């Protein structure tokens, strides 16, 4: 294990499943306390939704956050094991049987929350997509040698969502369809450059309109009002709530005008529209909010025809056999440490607990809405991701400190147990084709993020 570089293996070993924001911070905090960490990462690189969930136009932010993760994982007391998925390459029970001091689940929320429309899953890839697969495709398809799915992005798509991540989905759809329409006229425009300038400005300078290009705008559908969209958070007092609703409306309207999409509020999908075996849109039902609860209004259904439907209603952690769940996340015995109920010395942190898989599901709760914050959003200087990651890192640090304190009473591992773990970790590295050189590994095949 990596500790052998210093000649003295640690008497305590923690397996950390997932190496992104929460996982790398857990490895950092625990290794500072002399605890050996084995980070088991399902992907080739550990950046998680920084790489595969945050659209590539956030180049500087992606690169900055990736460097932070690299600095934390490239440590003598941290063993990185890439291309290894729990449940596929190694079972959770096997990890437990290896006898580590603890297991930390920082595997995030990668499974798209299912769109609650009967029969919708039958149309995956045939008129229906989920947010995660769309963003992954957008981030990676320009790469040389890309072997992932090739998605057909059509104008006039319908998106079901409402958070910051759904605005990113709207941008991707509009940028792709406009860029392709311009390319047909012999005009090459990079989607990321168009994101920075705004589609409205680019088309104005080129002398085009969406209608003139023959591009039907995509439409975002949200079950509540624009003022209730989780685009910014603030204090809960009544004087602040009116201002907060106005901030949310301004953020949405600014984005809508820059990227030229449509918006429907207070509507929820109720039925799939199918033509010749392919999804052709959704039946939408108007909603009313009564005492905070969204209720469909009987007799208000309308048909919304669209060649593509994208669900952007968040993500949840993948269930792991043997771990209890509460709703769509793992059941906790102790929220302070993230310890899983009924399973000794197994802890969860980050999106594996919160289920906030759209990265910026919310900003810091209780923050007062300020004019400066409004200006930053509307000028594009803030995305919401920066603060969300800072909050996730702080939460992981607090949990890691609690986990370390909990482990202080756990007996050190025997030499035989350490050797058993060392051999299995070496086998998993060999299977992944990983040579143990972290920095060179993450730079292979595509370079650094950004």
């Amino acid at each position: 294990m990596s500790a052998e570089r210093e000649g003295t293996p640690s008497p305590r070993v923690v397996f950390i499943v997932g190496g992104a924001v929460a996982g790398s911070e857990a490895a950092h905090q625990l290794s500072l306390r002399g605890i050996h960490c084995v980070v088991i990462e399902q992907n080739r690189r550990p950046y998680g939704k920084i790489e595969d969930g945050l659209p590539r136009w956030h180049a500087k932010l992606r690169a900055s956050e990736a460097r932070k993760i690299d600095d934390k994982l490239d440590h003598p007391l941290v063993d990185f094991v890439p291309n290894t998925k729990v449940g596929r390459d190694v079972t959770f029970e096997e990890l437990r049987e290896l006898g580590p001091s603890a297991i930390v689940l920082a595997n995030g929320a990668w499974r798209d929350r299912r769109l609650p429309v009967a029969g919708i899953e039958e149309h995956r890839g045939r008129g229906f997509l989920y947010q995660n697969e769309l963003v992954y495709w957008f981030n990676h398809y320009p790469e040389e040698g890309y072997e992932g799915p090739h998605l057909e992005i059509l104008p006039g798509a319908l998106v079901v969502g409402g958070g910051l991540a759904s605005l990113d989905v709207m941008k991707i759809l509009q940028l792709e369809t406009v860029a392709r329409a311009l390319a047909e006229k012999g005009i090459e425009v990079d989607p990321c450059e168009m994101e920075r300038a705004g589609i409205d400005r680019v088309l104005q300078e080129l002398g085009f309109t969406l209608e003139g290009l023959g591009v039907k705008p995509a439409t975002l559908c949200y079950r509540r009002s624009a003022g209730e969209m989780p685009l910014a958070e603030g204090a809960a007092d009544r004087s602040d709530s009116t201002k907060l609703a106005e901030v949310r409306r301004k953020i949405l309207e600014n984005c809508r005008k820059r990227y030229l999409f449509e918006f429907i509020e207070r509507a929820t999908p109720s039925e799939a529209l199918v033509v010749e075996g392919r999804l052709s849109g959704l039946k939408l039902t108007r909603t009313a909010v009564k005492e905070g609860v969204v209720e469909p209004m009987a007799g208000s259904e309308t048909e919304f025809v669209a060649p593509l439907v994208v669900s952007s209603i968040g993500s949840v952690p993948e269930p792991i056999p043997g771990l209890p769940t509460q709703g769509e996340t793992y059941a906790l015995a102790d929220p302070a440490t993230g310890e899983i109920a009924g399973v000794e010395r197994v802890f969860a942190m980050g999106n594996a607990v919160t289920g906030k898989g759209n990265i910026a599901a919310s900003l810091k709760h209780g923050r007062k809405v300020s004019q400066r914050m409004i200006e930053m959003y509307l000028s594009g200087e803030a995305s919401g991701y920066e603060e969300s990651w800072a909050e996730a890192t702080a939460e992981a640090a607090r949990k890691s400190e609690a986990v370390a304190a909990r482990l202080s009473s756990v007996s050190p591992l025997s030499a035989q147990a350490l050797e058993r773990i060392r051999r299995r970790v070496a086998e998993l590295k060999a299977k992944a084709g990983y040579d143990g050189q972290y920095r060179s590994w993450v730079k292979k095949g595509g370079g650094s993020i950004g």
Side-chain angles (χ1 to χ4, degrees), residues 402-415:
V403 170
R406 178 89 158 72
L407 295 183
S408 63
S409 62
V410 175
S411 299
L413 299 182
S414 66

Side-chain angles (χ1 to χ4, degrees), residues 384-440:
Y385 297 115
E386 300 90 338
E387 188 171 342
S388 181
W389 278 325
E391 190 175 357
T393 299
E395 185 268 347
R398 290 192 297 270
K399 287 248 173 66
S400 299
E401 184 175 353
V403 170
R406 178 89 158 72
L407 295 183
S408 63
S409 62
V410 175
S411 299
L413 299 182
S414 66
Q416 293 86 348
L418 289 171
E419 176 61 17
R420 184 168 61 247
I421 292 173
R422 186 199 68 78
R423 286 198 307 268
R424 185 57 176 136
V425 168
E427 290 171 358
L428 290 172
K429 286 182 179 180
K431 181 180 179 182
Y434 177 56
D435 60 5
Q437 302 301 311
Y438 177 81
R439 294 285 180 174
S440 61

